[in-house]
């Protein structure tokens, strides 16, 4: 009995001692909560640990080389590229890495979604002339890029926010593709920019989308017009010799933002393809005629744009083949026909056989409206079309054939303002009778791509672009010395011009 009692007490003391020592040890960590697959929204989504929110990470790495242009995946239609001389690049390179973050949460009100995509790019620059005399031909590195405000085409390093929006209960709030644009925007089957439709550029917006089922939706949007959906509001009274020589027909005279662009879209998305009709209203708000607010101003004028888009799938030519096309008409809202990745002032040089002329040049300018001091705004009209046929040879090889054309037309009053400036400042040889600032901008091209493994694509896109100017044949203008593009002060024949460029592309999506 004493032996049993001693054993029990000894065991109790041992366990008590072990318990005291255990209290001094770290508490054992909880089991790791492994990331779980979220199957609610398709492949690639995972639950954020400890939440009911699903997340998907993605992005791409891209390398571009554009031949015979000073811009990445853009035609040589202005500035150093349009000069076509020893200051023009034979190639321009760009590298880009993009990151996309997509989060989605199911709630009693429906899905809450946020989406972000940003990129870091490095783009080659060029060398522009900085000399001021006939014997000083100095140049300096030049980061300027002729492409438009939405292009992200700043030479050197560039951080670029593409998308950042919230979607909830039918609303989209933030920076996303314009509801006016077709899903493929101005890329029906191409990598170069095409006129003739609204673009791919993102814009701050507040949008409500009603879903009627059977693939039918309607969207109503108020979107920011600064700066991607405004071209130029020109006061032609401020036109200069230097500006006119580049295709700028006046002094920029855009006032502060007063009203967003108003957009309405109806879309039918079916197995056979897609149909979309879009309308937009755009307020043209000018600044003052002069340097002081007492100088007066041209009252606001609303412009508008309409677009119809069509995609046809299930073609007999093969699985995955498609035809995409859009047609657009604008009045006082030119960015809906010439997207903001494109320039608004064109100066393309070439040869000439005209006696007395040094070279030929195609000059053209794009605006939403023009006026002169003391007058009202005159709205600019554009209309155009683009499209593409996309064919898959097999799962790895594909080819697209594409084209687009857009026309810019000034009314008679606007032509009078512009032509008076051109005749007076550039000594147009054919006078007012030979002056017509209207123009067409057209492009055709084709690309073939190879995808050896999933997510990795190599392609070559060749593009031929024509600037069809409407000044009378045989007209000449006297242009000043333009040292930045090394063009001498001389007589130049006004003549339509063209650009042949090629894009080599490699991209890995992840």
């Amino acid at each position: 009995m004493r032996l049993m009692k001693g054993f029990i007490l000894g065991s109790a003391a041992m366990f008590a001692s072990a318990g005291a020592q255990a209290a001094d040890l770290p508490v054992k960590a909880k089991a790791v909560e492994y990331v779980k697959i979220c199957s609610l929204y398709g492949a690639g989504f995972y639950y954020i640990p400890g939440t009911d929110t699903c997340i998907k990470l993605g992005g791409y790495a891209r390398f571009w080389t554009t031949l015979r242009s000073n811009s990445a995946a853009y035609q040589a239609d202005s500035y150093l590229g349009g000069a076509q001389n020893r200051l023009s690049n034979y190639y321009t390179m760009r590298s880009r890495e993009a990151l996309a973050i997509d989060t989605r949460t199911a709630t009693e009100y429906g899905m809450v979604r946020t989406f972000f995509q940003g990129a870091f790019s490095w783009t080659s620059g060029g060398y522009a002339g900085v000399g001021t005399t006939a014997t000083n031909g100095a140049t300096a590195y030049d980061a300027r890029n002729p492409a438009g405000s939405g292009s992200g085409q700043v030479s050197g390093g560039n951080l670029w926010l593409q998308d950042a929006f919230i979607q909830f209960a039918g609303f989209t709030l933030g920076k996303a593709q314009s509801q006016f644009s077709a899903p493929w925007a101005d890329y029906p089957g191409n990598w170069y920019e095409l006129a003739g439709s609204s673009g791919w550029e993102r814009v701050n917006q507040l949008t409500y989308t009603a879903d009627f089922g059977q693939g039918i939706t309607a969207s109503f949007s108020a979107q920011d017009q600064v700066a991607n959906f405004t071209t130029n509001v020109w006061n032609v009274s401020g036109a200069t010799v230097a500006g006119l020589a580049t295709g700028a027909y006046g002094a920029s005279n855009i006032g502060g933002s007063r009203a967003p662009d108003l957009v309405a879209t109806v879309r039918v998305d079916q197995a056979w393809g897609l149909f979309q009709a879009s309308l937009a209203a755009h307020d043209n708000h000018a600044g003052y005629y002069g340097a002081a607010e007492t100088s007066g101003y041209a009252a606001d004028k609303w412009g508008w744009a309409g677009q119809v888009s069509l995609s046809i799938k299930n073609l007999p030519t093969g699985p995955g083949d498609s035809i995409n096309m859009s047609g657009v008409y604008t009045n006082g809202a030119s960015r809906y026909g010439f997207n903001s990745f494109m320039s608004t002032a064109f100066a393309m040089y070439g040869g000439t056989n005209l006696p007395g002329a040094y070279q030929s040049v195609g000059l053209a300018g794009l605006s939403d409206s023009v006026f002169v001091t003391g007058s009202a705004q005159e709205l600019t009209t554009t209309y155009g079309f683009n499209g593409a046929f996309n064919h898959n040879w097999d799962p790895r090889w594909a080819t697209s054939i594409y084209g687009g054309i857009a026309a810019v037309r000034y009314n008679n009053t606007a032509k009078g303002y512009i032509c008076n400036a051109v005749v007076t400042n550039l000594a147009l040889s054919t006078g007012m009778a030979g002056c017509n600032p209207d123009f067409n901008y057209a492009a055709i091209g084709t690309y073939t791509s190879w995808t050896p493994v999933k997510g990795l694509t190599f392609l070559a896109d060749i593009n031929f672009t024509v600037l069809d100017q409407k000044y009378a044949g045989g007209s000449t203008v006297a242009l000043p010395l333009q040292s930045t593009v090394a063009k001498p002060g001389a007589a130049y024949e006004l003549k339509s011009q063209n650009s042949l460029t090629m894009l080599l592309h490699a991209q890995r999506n992840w």
Side-chain angles (χ1 to χ4, degrees), residues 29-37 46-53:
K30 293 182 179 180
V32 175
E33 184 177 356
Y34 291 99
V35 176
K36 297 186 296 183
I37 294 175
Y46 298 86
Y47 283 101
I48 299 175
T51 74
D52 58 356
T53 297

Side-chain angles (χ1 to χ4, degrees), residues 161-179:
L161 175 65
Q162 178 177 315
D163 300 277
F165 61 81
I166 301 168
Q167 290 181 320
F168 174 66
F171 287 93
T172 299
L173 303 96
K175 191 179 185 189
Q177 181 171 305
S178 172
Q179 304 301 314

Side-chain angles (χ1 to χ4, degrees), residues 214-215 268-275 311-315 321:
Q214 305 299 315
V268 179
D269 199 342
Q270 305 286 340
W272 57 262
L274 176 145
F275 171 82
S311 178
I312 303 173
K313 304 176 183 177
N314 301 324
L315 299 175
D321 289 6

Side-chain angles (χ1 to χ4, degrees), residues 181-452:
S181 298
W184 57 87
D186 64 313
Y187 301 108
N190 54 287
W191 285 87
Y192 278 89
E193 303 306 323
L194 284 181
S197 73
S198 182
W200 170 90
E201 64 271 45
R202 272 43 176 170
V203 59
N204 286 327
Q205 62 187 270
L206 192 163
T207 297
Y208 178 73
T209 300
D211 190 338
F212 301 105
Q214 305 299 315
I216 302 173
T217 59
S219 297
F220 306 91
S221 181
Q223 69 178 35
D224 187 10
Q225 61 165 257
V226 183
N228 289 354
F229 282 87
T230 298
T231 57
N232 292 293
V233 174
W234 274 327
N235 183 345
V236 183
S237 296
T240 65
V241 174
L244 291 167
T246 66
Y249 287 139
S252 177
N253 202 253
I254 302 170
S257 57
R258 288 296 184 269
D261 285 6
L262 304 176
V263 176
T265 299
V266 175
R267 181 183 297 180
V268 179
D269 199 342
Q270 305 286 340
W272 57 262
L274 176 145
F275 171 82
Q276 179 175 309
S278 306
L279 285 172
H282 173 83
D283 179 37
N284 293 289
H285 179 75
Y288 295 102
Y289 290 135
E293 61 186 31
T294 54
S295 61
Y297 57 86
D300 288 24
K301 270 195 176 181
W302 281 82
W304 66 279
Q307 178 173 284
V308 175
S309 302
L310 178 67
S311 178
I312 303 173
K313 304 176 183 177
N314 301 324
L315 299 175
T317 51
D321 289 6
S322 66
I323 296 174
N324 299 325
M325 64 186 80
S326 295
V328 67
Y329 183 94
T330 78
N331 182 244
S334 299
R335 268 298 182 218
Y336 289 93
F338 285 77
N339 69 80
S340 68
F341 288 75
M342 301 183 68
S343 179
T344 60
F346 305 93
M348 301 174 68
Y349 289 85
T352 183
N353 294 318
L354 188 68
Y358 169 69
Q359 285 182 343
S360 64
V361 63
L363 295 177
L366 176 67
S367 66
D368 290 339
S369 70
V370 301
F371 62 91
V372 294
T373 297
S375 80
Q377 296 187 65
E378 301 295 331
L379 301 184
T380 306
T381 296
T382 79
Y383 49 89
F385 168 87
N386 63 42
F389 168 62
N390 307 297
H391 175 63
N392 296 285
W393 300 100
D394 58 37
R396 290 184 172 84
W397 289 91
T399 296
S400 293
I401 302 172
Y402 63 84
I405 184 171
V408 176
R409 298 293 182 263
Y410 291 95
N411 65 30
N412 288 334
T413 302
K415 285 179 180 178
Y417 297 156
I418 294 170
C419 288
N420 183 65
V422 172
V423 170
T424 301
N425 290 280
L426 300 185
L428 179 64
S429 63
T430 51
M432 295 291 286
C435 180
N436 185 352
D438 294 346
F439 69 96
N440 300 327
Y441 190 97
I444 59 172
T446 182
Y447 84 75
T448 295
S449 64
W450 175 51
T451 304

